[in-house]
Each structure stands twice: as C-alpha cells, then as structure tokens.
Amino acid sequence: MGISVNRGEYRRLLESLTNSEAKQKGNFVATADLACRLLSEHLNVERVSVLSWSKDQNIQFEVARVGSQPDVCRPQHLVDVGNYVAELHQHLHIDAADAVVDFRLSELRDHYLLPNNIGSLLDIAIRINGHIEGVVCLERLGDVAAWGEADISFASHVADQLALTLATSNAYYQDEMLSLFQSAIEKSRQITLLVNLNKQTVEYVNGAHEIITGIPRDRIEGRSLAELAYFKQHPEDAQQVLAELLQGNVVRQIFSLTNSRDEKIWVKFFASHFVSPMGKQYALVSAEDYTETKQNQQELEFYAWHCSLTGLYNRTYFKRQLDRMTDGKLVLLNLVGFKRYNDTYGHERGDQLLVEIARRLKHFTDARFKPPCMAARIGSDEFALLLDSDSGQDLDIHINKLYQQLSHPVAFGSESVDVRPAIAIVDIGAVTAIASPLTCADIALQHAKKKQGMPIRSFTSDLLEAFKDDSEIERDLIHAIRKKQFELYYQPLKDLQTQRYIGAEALIRWHHPKRGVLYPGTFIEIAEQKGLINAIGSWVLEAACKQLYLWQHHDISLTMHVNVSARQFFGGNLYEQVWDLLTRYPIKHRTLILEITETELMEDIRYATNLCQELAELGVGLAIDDFGTGYSSMRYLKQFPISKLKIDRSFISDLTISHQSREIVSAIIAMAKALNISLTAEGVEDQEQEMFLTENLCHQAQGFLYSPALREADFSHFIDLQSSSSIVH
C-alpha cells in the first residue's frame, strides 16, 4: 500500500504539527495526541500510539493513542524485550511487514502480537541527543503489507517533531526549575554562597547572609573571601577549609561568630567542590543559623553532666573525670544525719540545705583551688572534689578550713540547722593499683564518722585491710543469720540499796565457726552499715522476751534490758514487733526495758517521743544508754517517758582518780533523782567505785565486779547462788 497523500499534503501535515500551539508550548502529551490523529487519518493504519520511556529506560508507558484499545498491552518493563530495544537503538525504527514472523519482534509475538491480531507494525524511536525518549507505534490489524518509504519517512518526521516538543518541554521545565531554584534560594533562611576557588572570591550570596550575619550582600558579593566574617574571626580554620576544598574534599563544620550586632551566634555549614564546564573550580556553600540548636544542645549537655538541684557536676561526669586521673586528690564528704533530717523536715527543706552546702563548697573551691579542680554532687548528701597534683600543697590546712566553713549553721528564716560534715581524702596515685579511689574514699569516710573530734580522715593501707576484714565479716554475717549462729548472754544488774540482783542485760554473742566467740563490737556496726541490723535486732528482741517469759514462769523475778539500734528504733515497725512479742510472751508489766543510746535518740526528737509514749502504753520501759556522752538536755529528758538512765562506763572507770568524773556522776545522780528516774552505772569493776555509787544513792550497777555476761545456764546458776546467799544472810 502506498502513502495516501502527495508531497504538498505531506508538507502541510508536518507544518500543521510543527506550528501547533501544543508543540510551541512544549506540551508533549497534546502534541503526541495530535500526531496520533494525523498519522491515523492520513496513513492506512488501524491503531497509532505514542509510548514514553523512563529516564533509566526501564519502563515504558502510553502517552497518547488513536484506535481501539488493545486486548493485551505492550510489555511495561523494557528488560523483557531486550532484543527489541537493541534493534531500535541500532536502526531507530522497525518496519515489520509480517510482524508475527519478524525475528526482531519475537519477544512481542506470543504476549502482544498474536493476542491483538497485529499483521504489520512500524515502530520509530523518538530520540534526543542519541537517547531514546519514547516510540511512535503504527499497527495494521489482520492485514500483512510492507511499509513504504514514504510511510516510514512521514512517521519519522512526526517522531522528530515529537522529540523537538519533548526537548522544548524539558527546556521549559529546566528554565522553570532554575527560576524556582533561584527564588527558593533567595527566600531561603539558609545562607547560600557560590565561591570561585581560583580567584578566591564570592560570586554569589543570597539574602539570608545579611539576615544571619548582619553584613549586607554588596559588601560580600564579588569581593575577596577575606571579607567573610568566618575568615576574619577564624583565619586558621578558614584557610584549612579552603585547602580542603581545593583538594576536592567535602567540608562540614560548626563554628561561632560575632555578628554585626555584637551577638554571639553559631553557624553550621556544608561546602562541596565542583568544576564548571569551562574547567573553573567552584565551591557551593550552604550554611544555617545553628544558634538555637547549639544553645539547646549546650543546655542538654549541661543537664547531662550537672546536678539539676545544685548546679554542681553530677556523678556521671565526676566518674568520667575520675577514671581518667592517675594522680591528684579525691576529697569525699557527706552530711551526718541528713537522711533523718530529710525525713523529719521534708524533702523541700532537705533540698534547701543541699543547695546551701553546694554553694559553700563551690565558693570555697573556686577561691582556694585552681582549675581543673572540680566539685560534684555524687549522691543524695554526698559531695566530691577532684584536685590535681599541684593542689596537694597545704591540703590539710585547706580541708580543715573547708570543714569549718561547711559546719556553720544554715539559717532558714528564724531557725538554724547545725551541719555535721564528714570528710575523706584519697591520694589517687597511691591507690589506683590496689583499689578504686572512690571505694577507698568511702572506706575513709566511714572511719571519719567514727573519729573523735574533727571527722576528717585520709585513706591508708591499714584502712583497706580493715575494710577487707569487715567485708569478710559481712559475708559471714549473712550466713550466720541464716544458720542462727548467735546466742544471748546475760549480765546481771545489782540493786545497790538491797544488794539483790534484779535484772539482766541481754548481750549478743556470735559463735563464728573459724574465729570463735565474737563480741558485738566486732560485727554490730558492720551489720548496721549493711542493713543487716534489723534482722539481728529482731532475733535478739524475740530471744530476750522468750527467756524473760521462761524466767518469770519459773518465779524468777527479773527485768530484761535489750539494746535497740537506731535503725531498728526508727525503722517504722518496732511498735508492731513489740506488741506481737508481748502477745506471744505475756511478761510482767515494765519488766522489758529497751535501751537506745542518747545520741541516737536525739536524731529525731519528734518521732522518738511519739514512739516512746506508745511503747510505754504497752508496758515497756525505756532506758537511755551511754548517758553523758551525747547532747540531750533536761527539756528532752522531761519530754520522754524514760524509766532509766545508764551512766556511761567512761565516767565510772576513773571515779577514784578523777575529780571531774566524780562531779559529773554526782550531777547525773542528782538530776535522775529530781526527775524520779532510775539510774544504773555501767562498767563497775572495784569496791571503791561501788562504794561511791552506793553512798551517792545510785540505784543499780553492772560490771565485772559482779559478773561478766553469762550464758543462760550459767546466769541462772549465778542468780540461784546469789538468792541462796541472801537467804542464808
């Protein structure tokens, strides 16, 4: 079949396509639709379509079509028709008179040609700069006929016009994108600079530069890089960045600037190198105001490394710094009795106290020590100092002054609180090979709290050995509680006026499998520190109540004194425990007497007063142990329902040689008489001491003069003998 148009008509049709509004505007879809109609109307074909290929030439899709919808569409994925694609690349068109048998279309035969009854097929590539952008497809259904040269030529010209349309569309798109890009850059809040690296000048800068730095565009654009604030304020860094860019590297950096308004700002930039088509070296720099982000980052960093309450460094930061130190000094301090204070007066008042201590600590260290000295809060009421090796000079003098400064009372309105700090000092270089400096400081701090006078202690190897020994005791103590390796011994109490034994003090002994019988001084303090004292105290209290019940059941009339630790006394369930024991062991009224030291009792006056009154209502007596060594007053003694005072053995031991001790004991006896409180002297060891106490009307005494603490069987035998002796006399 030949072409159905003459040359003039052929030219007119192409001109109508070329001059169409759609082609002039670069509207590829509308132009493709017009091309399909022209080819369909003027060539002997049943179906004309235009397919577009993706940029990567992987996918094809239909843009326009005239003629019936095929029953089965062409393959979408071009990888499935690789030979077909290669043929188009090589010859730019495929003119198949009998499409079904044409080897070039073998990949389309079964899945497209046969199902759609296609006889002849002409496909022409739409090509721009050697790159196929799509295909013009002409199909005759059923008929098999060759394609004339005029048909191919006409269709090829149409494909060329489609290529030009697509090129125009791409150009319009690129122009529009460039315009949008320029507009976006100008309105962007990020700085954009185009730098000529060969001339080291700024060829372009957008308006954001002036907004962020305060420097107008006309003072930067077209001028040397030296005019940039970055080059003026950070010349060395700027030259390094320039060198990196000239080597073709990508550079990222965050830096600070002082803008034209004398404000410190932070800028984050990204710079990349590229070469223009003319071979010139350029850098594209994108920068943004990073000030708010940096400030937020610094704030987060501050809270990550600082205590939110005191503003001092926190434990995490302190540990990081300590782990890096190989010499210097670690000073650890805490506030004795803070937990009790916090529980009594509330956390808000406790926090105020901590803030004041932190302020004093910071003020002192800033005045006395040079950087890199740092102060940190590393626990509830625990603070630490890290000092470099140069701070060791006159350290003892400084620490003594620090103690004095921290010990000043803290005022809360009209009230004031006494502060009792304890301080430990560790030479980091001397201990790192044997133990953690912080562990050593904890050990020294515990010893500082026990120390008479100023509670300041430096760590020594002797303390470490004692700590190891205590650790072994602690491990064995847990086992002892489980295996019930304890036994109560009983020391008699003598009535000095009747010369009869009227009571016993229950004293715990530990039958250690390796160390033998251990006295309370060996393990009670460790039990208190490690939270084991409640378990031991509960056992002692029950064993004593049970024994007292048995004695009374056998008509042995005695009182039982039982020591109660501060942790047990203030633990919250002592009342319930005593009530339960008195229910199970119905002993006589006021024959169970709980002893607590004067110092411990004064830790929380309000709580202690309430608990003592509740215990008194149960018929339990209260004795203040080690009286005279603490700081109680007449007002507090009147406030407590006290049944007995026990004069500390330190006053009794030198009664015969110390006039001062005799005066103190006489005063205590007089005070007890005035308050109508029973009085027991501890540690009586000779007749002279007993004589003085008897003459001064002290009520009772206990000590080695009468008997050491005895096992239950020996104690019962001792009481029997004394009772028999008194009957004989």
Side-chain angles (χ1 to χ4, degrees):
M1 296 181 182
I3 193 168
S4 60
V5 293
N6 57 35
R7 288 183 180 275
E9 184 67 10
Y10 168 81
R11 189 180 301 110
R12 186 186 66 76
L13 291 172
L14 284 175
E15 286 177 355
S16 69
L17 181 63
T18 302
N19 296 325
S20 67
E21 183 179 357
K23 181 180 178 302
Q24 296 299 320
K25 289 184 176 180
N27 188 332
F28 180 70
V29 174
T31 306
D33 185 66
L34 177 59
C36 288
R37 284 190 278 109
L38 288 174
L39 289 169
S40 176
E41 290 172 3
H42 299 288
L43 295 181
N44 184 22
V45 290
E46 282 76 30
R47 186 186 296 127
V48 182
S49 58
V50 174
L51 304 179
S52 181
W53 287 9
S54 61
K55 292 293 183 184
D56 56 11
Q57 295 197 335
N58 286 334
I59 303 293
Q60 66 177 354
F61 51 90
E62 189 177 85
V63 176
R65 173 174 45 81
V66 172
S68 62
Q69 169 73 33
D71 293 333
V72 180
C73 295
R74 289 200 179 210
Q76 185 180 22
H77 298 281
L78 293 173
V79 68
D80 296 334
V81 287
N83 292 331
Y84 164 82
V85 170
E87 186 67 27
L88 276 179
H89 274 291
Q90 186 173 358
H91 297 103
L92 302 181
H93 74 273
I94 297 174
D95 53 332
D98 190 345
V100 173
V101 299
D102 194 308
F103 73 94
R104 295 171 298 179
L105 303 175
S106 60
E107 295 160 323
L108 299 173
R109 180 178 179 274
D110 295 332
H111 300 291
Y112 181 70
L113 300 176
L114 288 174
N116 291 305
N117 191 29
I118 296 173
S120 301
L121 179 146
L122 174 60
D123 281 6
I124 300 173
I126 302 171
R127 191 175 61 159
I128 301 175
N129 296 327
H131 191 272
I132 297 178
E133 302 290 341
V135 182
V136 176
C137 306
L138 291 82
E139 297 169 352
R140 292 174 179 150
L141 305 182
D143 295 335
V144 174
W147 297 91
E149 289 186 9
D151 296 341
I152 297 172
S153 176
F154 181 38
S156 296
H157 278 85
V158 171
D160 290 341
Q161 292 302 314
L162 287 172
L164 289 172
T165 306
L166 192 57
T168 302
S169 175
N170 290 342
Y172 281 156
Y173 177 77
Q174 290 173 359
D175 288 344
E176 185 179 6
M177 287 300 101
L178 181 60
S179 176
L180 285 172
F181 179 69
Q182 288 175 332
S183 177
I185 287 177
E186 281 302 321
K187 296 196 178 295
S188 172
R189 300 182 68 178
Q190 289 189 333
I191 297 172
T192 300
L193 293 97
L194 185 61
V195 176
N196 187 320
L197 293 175
N198 297 111
K199 295 181 180 180
Q200 295 193 13
T201 58
V202 179
E203 294 202 354
Y204 169 80
V205 63
N206 68 344
H209 183 274
E210 182 174 356
I211 295 172
I212 293 174
T213 68
I215 302 173
R217 177 184 294 189
D218 57 11
R219 284 177 49 191
I220 299 298
E221 212 165 54
R223 302 201 180 193
S224 167
L225 292 175
E227 297 299 318
L228 291 173
Y230 178 51
F231 276 76
K232 289 180 178 179
Q233 297 179 30
H234 302 280
E236 292 183 4
D237 290 346
Q239 289 301 325
Q240 179 64 34
V241 168
L242 191 58
E244 291 280 331
L245 288 170
L246 286 168
Q247 291 175 17
N249 297 326
V250 173
V251 182
R252 297 176 177 84
Q253 200 174 86
I254 298 171
F255 59 89
S256 62
L257 284 180
T258 301
N259 63 20
S260 63
R261 297 178 291 275
D262 265 349
E263 300 167 337
K264 183 179 179 179
I265 62 172
W266 288 88
V267 177
K268 178 182 180 180
F269 80 85
F270 173 94
S272 58
H273 169 275
F274 68 94
V275 179
S276 72
M278 302 295 292
K280 294 180 180 179
Q281 297 191 80
Y282 284 88
L284 181 64
V285 181
S286 177
E288 62 178 326
D289 187 345
Y290 200 66
T291 306
E292 185 176 350
T293 303
K294 186 69 174 179
Q295 288 172 345
N296 290 339
Q297 194 178 71
Q298 289 173 333
E299 186 176 349
L300 289 173
E301 216 170 84
F302 179 86
Y303 285 115
W305 299 129
H306 289 76
C307 165
S308 58
L309 177 66
T310 65
L312 298 180
Y313 287 109
N314 60 18
R315 185 181 183 87
T316 304
Y317 187 82
F318 162 81
K319 278 285 291 162
R320 283 167 60 99
Q321 299 305 113
L322 178 61
D323 290 344
R324 294 171 183 168
M325 293 181 68
T326 56
D327 58 9
K329 304 289 184 182
L330 164 62
V331 179
L332 187 67
L333 63 96
N334 78 353
L335 307 179
V336 179
F338 175 76
K339 183 181 184 304
R340 183 64 52 209
Y341 176 86
N342 212 28
D343 292 343
T344 303
Y345 296 100
H347 290 277
E348 184 176 349
R349 177 69 70 86
D351 287 349
Q352 291 173 355
L353 179 61
L354 293 175
V355 169
E356 173 58 20
I357 295 300
R359 186 197 66 78
R360 293 181 185 182
L361 185 63
K362 182 75 165 61
H363 180 267
F364 184 88
T365 52
D366 287 348
R368 299 277 176 170
F369 301 111
K370 297 177 181 178
C373 164
M374 61 165 282
R377 180 189 176 208
I378 62 173
S380 173
D381 63 320
E382 200 164 52
F383 299 85
L385 300 179
L386 284 181
L387 311 175
D388 64 15
S389 53
D390 294 335
S391 302
Q393 299 176 354
D394 300 326
L395 182 62
D396 290 342
I397 297 173
H398 290 318
I399 296 302
N400 286 341
K401 289 182 178 177
L402 173 62
Y403 173 81
Q404 292 168 3
Q405 186 164 323
L406 294 178
S407 298
H408 291 155
V410 177
F412 295 106
S414 59
E415 298 181 24
S416 66
V417 176
D418 290 329
V419 180
R420 294 192 292 158
I423 300 177
I425 307 162
V426 175
D427 184 338
I428 295 172
V431 303
T432 47
I434 57 173
S436 158
L438 196 54
T439 298
C440 296
D442 282 329
I443 295 170
L445 194 63
Q446 295 307 314
H447 283 268
K449 292 176 182 178
K450 305 174 200 170
K451 187 180 174 185
Q452 293 294 324
M454 200 175 286
I456 301 173
R457 186 69 187 261
S458 293
F459 179 81
T460 63
S461 57
D462 290 342
L463 292 185
L464 182 60
E465 291 305 314
F467 172 75
K468 290 179 179 177
D469 190 56
D470 288 351
S471 297
E472 187 176 331
I473 289 289
E474 180 192 345
R475 289 193 300 271
D476 293 346
L477 201 53
I478 296 171
H479 182 75
I481 293 171
R482 270 200 317 268
K483 295 295 184 179
K484 298 182 179 178
Q485 295 175 351
F486 302 113
E487 182 182 1
L488 285 187
Y489 281 45
Y490 305 93
Q491 186 172 37
L493 274 75
K494 184 177 183 179
D495 187 307
L496 294 176
Q497 307 307 315
T498 65
Q499 294 296 304
R500 296 174 63 85
Y501 290 93
I502 46 82
E505 179 177 358
L507 299 170
I508 190 171
R509 299 292 185 263
W510 176 8
H511 293 283
H512 194 284
K514 295 180 181 178
R515 300 178 184 233
V517 177
L518 298 182
Y519 286 71
T522 312
F523 60 89
I524 286 297
E525 188 173 344
I526 297 171
E528 287 178 342
Q529 292 172 2
K530 303 303 177 182
L532 302 172
I533 193 64
N534 282 349
I536 295 173
S538 296
W539 178 86
V540 168
L541 189 57
E542 180 170 2
C545 288
K546 183 178 180 180
Q547 184 58 55
L548 181 60
Y549 171 73
L550 291 173
W551 283 338
Q552 293 179 357
H553 185 68
H554 290 91
D555 295 325
I556 301 173
S557 181
L558 295 171
T559 60
M560 180 72 80
H561 288 242
V562 182
N563 290 287
V564 177
S565 71
R567 190 182 293 266
Q568 189 178 4
F569 188 84
F570 294 107
N573 68 340
L574 181 61
Y575 176 85
E576 290 77 7
Q577 185 181 4
V578 171
W579 183 86
D580 178 64
L581 290 173
L582 295 181
T583 302
R584 286 192 283 144
Y585 306 109
I587 57 178
K588 294 179 182 179
H589 188 73
R590 307 289 282 183
T591 56
L592 174 64
I593 299 173
L594 302 183
E595 295 186 7
I596 185 168
T597 67
E598 181 183 7
T599 302
E600 290 171 342
L601 193 64
M602 295 300 123
E603 283 189 12
D604 189 339
I605 301 297
R606 190 182 308 166
Y607 180 89
T609 302
N610 292 335
L611 179 58
C612 289
Q613 288 172 346
E614 289 174 346
L615 290 172
E617 289 171 5
L618 286 179
V620 175
L622 174 70
I624 297 183
D625 198 13
D626 300 339
F627 186 77
T629 61
Y631 49 88
S632 58
S633 68
M634 287 283 287
R635 178 167 64 91
Y636 291 136
L637 289 176
K638 288 171 63 179
Q639 186 172 320
F640 290 122
I642 298 164
S643 56
K644 181 176 289 190
L645 297 180
K646 299 189 76 176
I647 306 173
D648 186 69
R649 67 184 62 248
S650 63
F651 300 114
I652 305 301
S653 62
D654 58 356
L655 265 180
T656 57
I657 58 174
S658 170
H659 175 72
Q660 186 179 28
S661 290
R662 288 196 296 273
E663 292 294 328
I664 291 174
V665 171
S666 297
I668 293 175
I669 293 173
M671 181 185 67
K673 183 178 180 181
L675 294 173
N676 195 27
I677 297 175
S678 177
L679 198 62
T680 299
E682 295 181 293
V684 178
E685 297 183 356
D686 58 47
Q687 293 290 342
E688 289 183 79
Q689 293 170 353
E690 183 188 53
M691 187 181 301
F692 177 87
L693 293 168
T694 304
E695 289 174 353
N696 284 274
L697 302 179
C698 180
H699 303 114
Q700 298 152 16
Q702 67 183 95
F704 283 177
L705 175 62
Y706 313 112
S707 172
L710 302 170
R711 303 179 84 162
E712 188 278 324
D714 295 332
F715 179 86
S716 296
H717 181 65
F718 175 85
I719 294 296
D720 286 343
L721 285 176
Q722 299 302 320
S723 298
S724 300
S725 175
S726 63
I727 292 172
V728 171
H729 291 297

